[in-house]
Amino acid sequence: MGYEQFINEIKRMTGIDLSLYKEAQMKRRLISLYIKRGCSGFRDYSERLRKEPELLAELLDKMTINVTEFYRNKKQWEMLETKLLPDMVKKPGTLKVWSAACSTGEEPYTLAMILSKYAAQSDIRILATDLDETVLKRAEAGVFPERSLSELPDGMRGKYFSGDGTGYKIKSDLKKSVQFKKHNLLSDRYENGFDLIICRNVLIYFTEAAKEAIYEKFSNALKPGGILFVGSTEQIFHAHTYGLESAGTFFYRKKQL
């Protein structure tokens, strides 16, 4: 069994289309996984995945790279907070915000901390989604190691976290402002009417065709004037083809009608 047959088998088993991820990176990750489990090749690995649910769960967990921290790339968060959010919060109604591919939750919780400077925590509603149910459970638990907090601005640790002996736990008021949900960016339906969508350091793993489809869906999901916040290596070339325009480095605004 070759790589293409294997990813077709995975699509039948899980509904997830690995052909939309960059082949060299995905193949390298899969080979590493099956060698770790003592498999001789893709055929052997495929048979083990059908028989051993824990191996399939491991595959889905490792399919994406879940490396993040609070205030990752701090200058970009400062740009959002000082240049873009002030105008957003002036508009009537509650902001509709989506943290897409949120991993273990540092990103949506960072956003909740920033928004709490402008609104009561009870008025903050952030949708946070990821394909990986394992990382979503960790995000919902809200317990983080010391290293995840290394970039937190002064005063944030004491205000939003409590130590529990095994790490730092998000305080309940902040946790309530984030709703976690499973979502596949490649195949699931997108909600619409968002003021802000954050999707960072994820699309670099997808093919160009998959990225183009996702940018189009993000644009459709934004309100006119809404902002898309992307990662440091994810500049959108020809943003105008998706109805977007630059709103600052790593930020794109949906054009007004």
Side-chain angles (χ1 to χ4, degrees), residues 98-102 107 185 190 196-203 206 214-215 218 227-232 234 250:
W98 178 18
S99 172
C102 68
E107 180 179 277
L185 286 171
Y190 289 29
L196 173 65
I197 297 174
I198 304 177
C199 186
R200 306 167 72 219
N201 309 305
V202 175
L203 299 192
F206 294 153
I214 290 171
Y215 287 141
F218 278 152
I227 295 292
L228 172 63
F229 179 11
V230 301
S232 300
E234 296 171 329
F250 314 119

Side-chain angles (χ1 to χ4, degrees), residues 6 15 83 108 113 120 160 168 175 184 211 218 251:
F6 177 80
K83 304 295 184 184
M113 293 178 207
Y160 295 112
Y168 291 87
K175 189 189 288 190
N184 186 336
K211 282 193 283 190
F218 278 152
F251 295 91

Side-chain angles (χ1 to χ4, degrees), residues 161-203:
F161 295 84
S162 59
D164 72 346
T166 59
Y168 291 87
K169 188 168 187 176
I170 291 280
K171 290 186 177 178
S172 59
D173 284 350
L174 191 76
K175 189 189 288 190
K176 289 175 184 175
S177 63
V178 183
Q179 176 199 1
F180 291 99
K181 181 179 176 182
K182 183 178 179 181
H183 182 269
N184 186 336
L185 286 171
L186 294 166
S187 61
D188 289 343
R189 186 184 69 83
Y190 289 29
E191 292 185 28
N192 55 29
F194 288 103
D195 297 281
L196 173 65
I197 297 174
I198 304 177
C199 186
R200 306 167 72 219
N201 309 305
V202 175
L203 299 192

Side-chain angles (χ1 to χ4, degrees), residues 58-229:
E58 179 188 53
L59 168 65
L60 296 178
D61 182 39
K62 300 297 183 185
M63 195 178 65
T64 55
I65 294 177
N66 299 304
V67 178
T68 186
E69 60 188 11
F70 293 94
Y71 278 84
R72 183 179 182 183
N73 305 120
K74 189 182 290 187
K75 290 189 181 298
Q76 295 169 24
W77 288 105
E78 290 172 353
M79 170 74 175
L80 176 67
E81 181 176 349
T82 61
K83 304 295 184 184
L84 298 170
L85 276 180
D87 286 338
M88 287 189 201
V89 297
K90 288 177 185 174
K91 297 174 183 177
T94 303
L95 284 180
K96 188 172 182 181
V97 182
W98 178 18
S99 172
C102 68
S103 186
T104 45
E106 287 91 336
E107 180 179 277
Y109 286 133
T110 296
L111 183 59
M113 293 178 207
I114 292 172
L115 286 174
S116 69
K117 298 178 182 180
Y118 297 95
Q121 286 183 1
S122 59
D123 293 333
I124 298 169
R125 292 289 180 272
I126 299 167
L127 173 65
T129 66
D130 201 278
L131 173 65
D132 187 338
E133 291 181 282
T134 302
V135 298
L136 286 173
K137 288 177 182 176
R138 287 167 57 190
E140 287 180 314
V143 180
F144 299 92
E146 173 82 28
R147 59 178 171 75
S148 293
L149 281 65
S150 61
E151 293 297 314
L152 275 180
D154 293 341
M156 291 286 200
R157 186 174 304 200
K159 186 174 183 180
Y160 295 112
F161 295 84
S162 59
D164 72 346
T166 59
Y168 291 87
K169 188 168 187 176
I170 291 280
K171 290 186 177 178
S172 59
D173 284 350
L174 191 76
K175 189 189 288 190
K176 289 175 184 175
S177 63
V178 183
Q179 176 199 1
F180 291 99
K181 181 179 176 182
K182 183 178 179 181
H183 182 269
N184 186 336
L185 286 171
L186 294 166
S187 61
D188 289 343
R189 186 184 69 83
Y190 289 29
E191 292 185 28
N192 55 29
F194 288 103
D195 297 281
L196 173 65
I197 297 174
I198 304 177
C199 186
R200 306 167 72 219
N201 309 305
V202 175
L203 299 192
I204 53 173
Y205 302 110
F206 294 153
T207 64
E208 288 303 312
K211 282 193 283 190
E212 289 170 5
I214 290 171
Y215 287 141
E216 186 69 34
K217 291 178 184 178
F218 278 152
S219 179
N220 291 336
L222 285 167
K223 290 179 182 176
I227 295 292
L228 172 63
F229 179 11

